[in-house]
Structures are given as structure tokens and as C-alpha cells.
Amino acid sequence: MADPSSYRPRPGSIPDSPGVYRFRDEHRRVIYVGKAKSLRQRLASYFQDLANLHPRTRTMVTTAASVEWTVVSTEVEALQLEYSWIKEYDPRFNVKYRDDKSYPYLAVTMNEEFPRVQVMRGQKRKGVRYFGPYGHAWAIRDTVDLLLRVFPVRTCSAGVFKNAARTGRPCLLGYIGKCSAPCVGRVTPEEHHELADEFCDFMAGRTGTYIRRLERSMTEAAEDMEYERAARLRDDIEALRKAMEKSAVVLADATDADLVAVAEDELEAAVQIFHVRGGRVRGQRGWVTDKVEEITTGALVEHALQQLYGEEKGDAVPKEVLVPALPDPVEPVQEWLTDRRGAGVSLRVPQRGDKKALMETVARNAQQALVLHKTKRASDLTTRSRALEEIAEALDLDSAPLRIECYDISHLQGDDVVASMVVFEDGLQRKSEYRRFQIRGFEGQDDVRSMHEVITRRFRRYLAEKERTGEWADGGEGPGDTHHPADTRTDAPASPASPAPSAPPTSLAATASPAATDVIDANGRAETNGLTDEDGRPRKFAYPPQLVVVDGGQPQVAAAKRALDELGIDDIAVCGLAKRLEEVWVPDDDDPIVLPRTSEGLYLLQRVRDEAHRFAITYQRAKRAKRFRSGPLDDVPGLGDTRKQALIKHFGSVKRLRSATIDQICEIPGIGRKTAETIVAALAGATPAGPAVNTATGEIMEEDEQDGTPGTTPDAPEEPVTAGAADERRGQER
């Protein structure tokens, strides 16, 4: 626990201006972000007698080790910067709303040549129009099914669309009139885009125009005695009205508004949002949050508005936002919303009439969501706490392991050897901290040696971070001073039999900064140093775990413990979970620990181990698939996927490309003479593959069939796949 007076800024050094401030802990992680109209007054409120502070604020200031600030011109800029930093740093003491589920949207991909209507979740994409969110995906599909007979917009995937275009036959929806079949040229791209625009207009609430237009067309058809066309138009009108009835009118003045309600207690808060467009409820969503700071209802509303509109622009921000309490001050928030919309936005508390009645309905939904969340979480918290306590008791730990890291090695008969690191905090997955490793220290299959290398690399980076932040000085007493691997390269061989050297390296930071991108995060990005960066982003290798779990038995556990000993780390527990009998192995013990089959601690260890195995084998399979898809053009420097595809499309196969001249290759748009010469030289040096045999039929395949496109394999299977062969292949994968 830190004393706030130890890092309190000097009197007079804090400006009396608007700005945003950040509290950091001893590891330089940002733990709290706040904004203030006056930085001097706001920060002074944190450095007072601890007894006068709210318990949560007291915990924050005693956890922090430093504070810094950034001055801005206006309170609106402070609001924008605060939102950006909270999103970037994910500080543990800030209010962070969590979606209680992933909400589906009805999306129309207007950025494509032939827009597609589909269900989408997750991050919004540029050029796509969204409607919702909806409570259930089936509600979207029901609505779309009713509207397609009036607005027959494409709904098929890219693969189905291309296949229909290739064969010249539309899918079933094209035959029954629920798709205009642009894949076979029944409509032009412009006509199809106009259909998509009309679909979007109807979903946006402009329904009266289309119904009146269809009614006039129906009347004209009846007068012209075109009764079949009139009947079809009658059915279209009925379909539109059914779609409209799915969302009842709640505001008679056809208002576009969002209603935000909050239900809270001392520890948690739930937020519910109703999206009303054209007077009808078009979507609903809810969030919950821990009240990790002392906060008012108005401040909760302000954070909810930041979460709701931080990534939105234009019509996605309605002209009216109704809330239960106004932020203090309200002017910066209202100005920020106006800037996001590009037009005036009214932020107010409804006082009477339909809007106040609807707000009461939203508030009841928020209260029910809070009760449901607390019921679920009470069970989850109890189970997770019991599991962590059982693990601590079984392994004789001083406290429950709040952060657990698990490592697994995966390969296919010694090829493509990789490792995974998964993280569980408070018994829950922390997927943003997952990491993947490529084993490069040696060739072949050796799980024990691989485990030693991975543990060494991970914790060498942790020690380098400690040195970089000054937690222990270079050359002074600290972890790793007396025991450290001789080879300081991250990708150096880490032999389990190599003795620890007597002299430490000059700097641990040098051991954790290889140029090779041998560590990949959970999103597939290569990490160059694996350290927490200077801005304090909560990622990479700066957080030490209380417990390291390895997938394996006594040999793997011994290798992990030896790696930690060589680095001088003695405050991290190690154990292994063997698959065969689910036995827990600890270092320097010939007998395993056997936990009861009904133990919550064993269940948690199994989940951690299984998640590490899943993450490792997924990466290993992806690497193997990429290797199998590689072709001779992959070795040509500076030749990207687009130009590769252009070459194959022009020549038809790698065989024909290999026989082409430099002048013929230069005819391809984007291919210059120098690139053409490089391609010819690369293909001349590549050894043509031998004839491929279809083992299902025994026939030899032509080369044109083999390499028709870069990175593809023939349609025939590589080998006959039987039930026994499939079982054998799964057994070979680790």
C-alpha cells in the first residue's frame, strides 16, 4: 500500500485549467482516468486525510504510485480525451460498462457493389448501415423475411453469390421472388443499390411513403383490370404492415430519441437503453458495471453516453436523448453530442406525458436487469472464490492465485511446434492477455525443452520490464542477478540440461528485444518486445502471475520450475495438470496431488488447461494450413496477394506463368519490368513439384489442376480419410 503523500505533486505545480489526469501504479499501469474543469482543485481532493475519502477512492490512491495530467482548452476536449484514454488503457478503477450480451444488428452493406442484408454483431464497420440492436437474431430474420417480397435485396454470402454468377442460376430466393437476383444480371448494380436505399429508408422509419405508393399502384392495377398484379401489391402492403406491427408506436409525435435509465445500489449499476425511431422502439440494449469509484447518477449517465455514442456519427446520434439525471455540468456533454451528430441534440429529463411514461418502463427494465445480474453473479462469485481457495489450499499458497497463467505445447509429429499462454484473472478468462509463441530455439519434438524455452522467454521479458521501470536497478540485487541463461537472445536454444551461469547479463532489457517476431498476441499481431509500453497499456508481459500451470506431468513442471530458478524468480508457484488421471504435479515432489473429482478447484484447473490446449492447437493448425497453401510465388519479394491473383488469372496456372517471357509478364497491370525479372528468376530457381496422385482414384493429376491458383490444393483429398485415419490424425496433434 502506497502513501499518497509520496507522489503528491508540488504545491503550485498543478495548473488551474481544464484537463485530464491519470493515476498509475508501481508498474506504470494506468489505473484511473478522470477529467476536471480545474485540475488543481480536483487533484487536491485526492490528497487529503485518507479517513475523509470514500473507501473506493482510498483504495485507488493507495494503489497508485504517481499521477500525471494533460491540459486541454475546453471541457468538451476533456470529455473526448477522457473517453479515448478509458477505452485505450482500460483502467481498473474507472466505471466500465459491460454488455450483458452481444447484441445483433440488422446491417446493410452499402459499401459493396451489390449491398447485402444480414445479421451482424461486434464492431461496426465503415460504409455499413445498421438498424437495431435487437434482442434476438430471429427477430431480425422475421422482419427481413417480410420485407424481402417488397424490397428483394441480396441476402446471400459472397461464396453463394459468386457460385450463382458462375453457373448462371440464382438461388431459391431468386426463383420465389425474394431476391432480385443481381448475381445473374436480372437487375443492374444501380437498380439493386436503389432497392437497398429504399429498404434502408423503410427501416429508418420512413414507412408511410412506401405504403401510400403501393396503395396507389394497387388501385391503378385494379382499375386496369390487372388483378393478379393488384393482388400481389395487396400482399406486399400486408407484409409491410406486419413488419411495422412488430414494433408498436410508443411516441405519437414520431420522435427519434434514445431513452437511458439507470438502476443502482452501493456496489453495482445497470443501464438500459431504448432506441426509438419514428415513434417506434427499434432496439434495446443493457449494460452493467461495478461502481469502483464514488459516482453519482449523473456521472453514471455521462459514462453511459460516452459508451453509447463514442464511436457514432451522424444519424446514429438521435436529436433527443432522455435521461434520468443530467451530468454536472451538462453543457460540455450536450455540446459533445451535438458535435457527434452534426446538428443540435437535446439532452433532458422527461417531466410528463408519453416520454415520462416510457422512461418509467425503461427504468423497470433496468431494475430487473440489475436483479438478474446480481443473482447470476452471486452464484458465479461464490463458485470462483471456492475454486481459488481450494487451489491455494492444495498447493499450500499464501493467498488465492488471482492471476493464473497456463502454457501448452502443440505440434504435429514434431512439425510447426508452437506454444500458447492463456490468462485467467479472478477465475475468468482474460483473452486480451493471451499470447502465442513460435518455438525457434531448436528443431524437432521435445515438449520439455519447449516448455523451458517458453517460460524462460516469458519471464525474461517480465524481468526486463521491472528493470526498465526502475523497480530494481541494473547491477543491483534483484531477480535474475545470480542465475540467468547464458544466451541472452529470446530465440536462443534453452536447453533444460544447461547449467546456470555465474554472471548475469549486462542488461535484462537487452534480452527481451529481439527483432524476430516470435511472439504473437491473441489478435495475431506480432510483438516486438513483449513489454508494457510507456503509456501504460494493460497488455503484454508486465503482469506477473501468482500461479503458473503447465499442460503436462512431472517433466514439464520440472522444466518450468528450472526456468524460473535460472531467472532468480522464487515467488511464483508452479504446477502441472496431467491429462491421463487429472493429477496435479508440483516441483520436487515424486507424488502428485489428487483433488476430488467434485472439486471446484480441479474444475477451474481443467478449464484453464483445456483453454490453453485449444488456443495452442488452433494456432498450430493455422500455421500448418498456411504452410500447405504456400506456393512458388510466395517467395517473390514485393509481390502481394492482389498481383499474385492477377498473374494466375491472366496465365491460368503457375505452369504457364513459368513458361512466360518477361515481356508477357509485363503486360499485367501493375507489374513492371524489374518485378517481372524477379518473378522469372524466382520461378526458374523453384523446383517444379512432382506429379500429384489422387489417392482416392489412383489417377495422376495434370499440373494445371494442381496449381490453378496460388495457395490452393486439388479438390481430391491428400489421402483417403476413414474413421480410423481421422482418429489417428487427431492423436498425432498435440
Side-chain angles (χ1 to χ4, degrees), residues 216-295:
R216 286 196 301 269
S217 299
M218 180 183 66
T219 303
E220 292 172 0
E223 290 174 352
D224 294 340
M225 293 186 291
E226 297 180 5
Y227 299 119
E228 291 184 0
R229 179 168 173 264
R232 186 172 66 253
L233 291 170
R234 177 202 61 200
D235 294 341
D236 290 348
I237 295 171
E238 184 65 21
L240 292 182
R241 285 178 173 159
K242 283 184 179 179
M244 293 170 59
E245 289 170 0
K246 286 182 175 291
S247 54
V249 175
V250 292
L251 299 178
D253 56 357
T255 299
D256 289 350
D258 283 349
L259 289 88
V260 182
V262 179
E264 57 182 311
D265 58 18
E266 289 295 322
L267 299 176
E268 295 175 304
V271 174
Q272 283 286 309
I273 301 102
F274 276 25
H275 303 277
V276 179
R277 299 294 183 269
R280 300 173 182 271
V281 178
R282 295 293 185 181
Q284 174 187 358
R285 67 192 303 181
W287 299 324
V288 291
T289 183
D290 295 324
K291 295 173 68 175
V292 292
E293 56 177 314
E294 185 179 7
I295 193 168

Side-chain angles (χ1 to χ4, degrees), residues 579-699:
K579 289 187 180 70
R580 189 170 64 89
L581 298 175
E582 303 293 7
E583 301 165 330
V584 180
W585 290 88
V586 295
D588 305 323
D589 199 334
D590 294 334
D591 297 319
I593 299 172
V594 180
L595 295 175
R597 291 295 176 180
T598 58
S599 166
E600 291 294 341
L602 178 60
Y603 290 160
L604 177 57
L605 289 177
Q606 288 172 330
R607 288 197 298 272
V608 173
R609 188 268 317 279
D610 293 344
E611 178 68 1
H613 182 68
R614 179 201 65 79
F615 194 51
I617 203 167
T618 300
Y619 180 41
Q620 191 269 334
R621 286 171 175 168
K623 277 180 62 66
R624 187 172 77 247
K626 182 178 180 181
R627 178 163 56 85
F628 285 166
R629 288 195 302 266
S630 63
L633 291 179
D634 295 336
D635 298 328
V636 179
L639 192 64
D641 290 339
T642 302
R643 292 199 288 178
K644 281 188 221 172
Q645 292 172 5
L647 285 166
I648 296 301
K649 184 176 180 181
H650 181 82
F651 290 102
S653 70
V654 175
K655 178 182 179 181
R656 296 193 183 101
L657 175 60
R658 189 179 282 118
S659 61
T661 65
I662 293 177
D663 292 335
Q664 289 173 331
I665 296 176
C666 288
E667 295 175 2
I668 309 301
I671 305 292
R673 188 165 191 85
K674 186 175 180 181
T675 303
E677 292 173 353
T678 306
I679 293 171
V680 170
L683 292 179
T687 304
V693 178
N694 184 334
T695 55
T697 63
E699 62 180 328

